[in-house]
Amino acid sequence: MQIRIDVKKAFISPLAPFAAVVFLVSFSDSIMSYVTPLFLENVTKNALIMGMILSASSVCGIFIDFIIAKFFGKRSYVFFMLWMIIFAALFPFVLLTVPPNMVFILLSMLVWSLYYELRGYSDFSFIHRFMPMGKHTLACSVIATVVSLAYTLGPILAVFLIEKHFDFSFIASIITTGLSFVLFVMFFWKNKKRRNLPATEHKEKTSFIKEIKVLGVLFQKIKILLLFQFALMLCDAAFWTTGILFANKLKEVNEIAAFIPSAYTLPSIFVGTLASLVKTPMGKKRGAFASGVVGACAISLIAFTQNVPIIIVLVLIAAVTMQLACIYIYSTFTDYVERLDILGNDITTLTQLAANMAYIVGPIALGYIAVKINYGATFGFAGIFLLLVTFFAMTVTPRKIRMPQAELKALK
């Protein structure tokens, strides 16, 4: 195990202001991530219908991924950040101002999906532009740390605001995104020379057919890693959909259950720094798989207890290991973005598609399990699925995955 003391360098511009903007936008989203399932359950009175509505956001996200890959592939992180902030503010604004009927709720889900997709492209594009390949794990760790801090503090504030008035949570989300926009403008004014650099050249595709062929070639190379990412995101969906309702129900038994969402995000604040300091001797992919096994076991055990302190301990263990797995696997994907250069955003598209598929299948399947069995059983399903996928990935994934440069060149 090799220790690399270079965290201080990570906070030298431009990563620091970028991380600050990401923190504020993520803080806003963390409030909405806590409030939205409660809002939807209050409107629909059914966990399965709630899950179907949340899945609609990810269905929209899949189409958005293809549109971005086709028409906006050569855009830089500047473009993605600006529109990410705009849609992050629009989501709470729509829920706050329009009638709570199904049409407007689905419209708000579309807005939410736009924000989420743009955030992923923004992160990958920024790291590709500013960070050398040897610093990708460090950059992913710094961003993961600030995001985790935001998702720890957001639910705590949301609980407090909901007790005062439910709409206060929407207002707080809008104000936070407004602050992120101010920082965004300040950052690009300070770095206007870098801002005006031409975006990385991107190969133009003449049709969606050719775009799909490119994605198909890349998918064949990293499909097992995408399946692993899908399983990780399914567990994440369990915490942020039925898990919110699970914690809200357990509050009737023990008030500290309100801190279950924060327990899921709190350890990640420190895990990001740990991942940036420690270089795993088994490599990023194997490190991700090893972390996934431990996290899957912890998540599965939640299904077998109603003891709130024990559940919080299991959530803490799952949070640490799953965050390590996410950092290592996303750092691996960022390496592939770097290797592909002009086709880097196509790797991003595949990772976004995998996450969206998890958030399409997850809320519906988990909502169905919650209705038929109980909320706790959703964690058992998600954890066992992650465990099986991880063992499969450990068995079949080669240590070195080479990008299909020749096959991609033949598609030109």
Side-chain angles (χ1 to χ4, degrees), residues 214-290:
V214 170
L215 293 175
V217 170
L218 293 174
F219 175 79
Q220 289 300 318
K221 280 292 182 179
I222 62 172
K223 58 187 177 184
I224 304 302
L225 299 183
L226 292 172
L227 177 62
F228 176 69
Q229 184 202 5
F230 172 88
L232 286 174
M233 291 298 99
L234 187 69
C235 291
D236 190 66
F239 278 101
W240 289 110
T241 53
T242 53
I244 297 294
L245 305 180
F246 182 51
N248 197 53
K249 182 179 179 181
L250 287 177
K251 280 199 310 182
E252 300 172 2
V253 179
N254 192 325
E255 290 186 356
I256 67 171
F259 294 98
I260 289 177
S262 294
Y264 177 59
T265 55
L266 178 62
S268 305
I269 299 172
F270 311 103
V271 173
T273 302
L274 177 65
S276 68
L277 287 171
V278 180
K279 184 177 181 181
T280 172
M282 66 182 70
K284 297 175 186 177
K285 293 192 293 293
R286 302 294 167 181
F289 297 153

Side-chain angles (χ1 to χ4, degrees), residues 333-352:
F333 287 137
T334 307
D335 289 348
Y336 299 154
V337 171
E338 184 78 17
R339 291 181 198 172
L340 287 169
D341 192 20
I342 61 174
L343 290 175
N345 273 339
D346 291 292
I347 287 288
T348 308
T349 296
L350 289 174
T351 65
Q352 296 287 92

Side-chain angles (χ1 to χ4, degrees), residues 36 67 94 105-106 122 134 144-145 160 223 234 236 246 271 321 389:
T36 301
I67 291 172
V94 171
I105 288 174
L106 291 175
S122 173
T145 298
F160 173 78
K223 58 187 177 184
L234 187 69
D236 190 66
F246 182 51
V271 173
T321 51
V389 168

Side-chain angles (χ1 to χ4, degrees), residues 296-329:
C297 292
I299 293 169
S300 301
L301 291 174
I302 295 174
F304 299 99
T305 180
Q306 292 287 311
N307 186 294
V308 174
I310 292 177
I311 289 174
I312 289 179
V313 171
L314 291 172
V315 169
L316 289 170
I317 295 172
V320 171
T321 51
M322 282 185 59
Q323 182 68 6
L324 277 174
C326 286
I327 289 173
Y328 286 135
I329 201 65

Side-chain angles (χ1 to χ4, degrees), residues 86-100:
I86 291 173
F87 287 114
L90 277 176
F91 177 49
F93 181 79
V94 171
L95 290 182
L96 178 65
T97 58
V98 303

Side-chain angles (χ1 to χ4, degrees), residues 61 64-65 68 113-122 352 356:
I64 293 166
D65 288 330
I68 291 176
S113 68
L114 284 165
Y115 149 74
Y116 186 81
E117 303 313 311
L118 291 166
R119 175 173 142 184
Y121 282 94
S122 173
Q352 296 287 92
N356 276 316

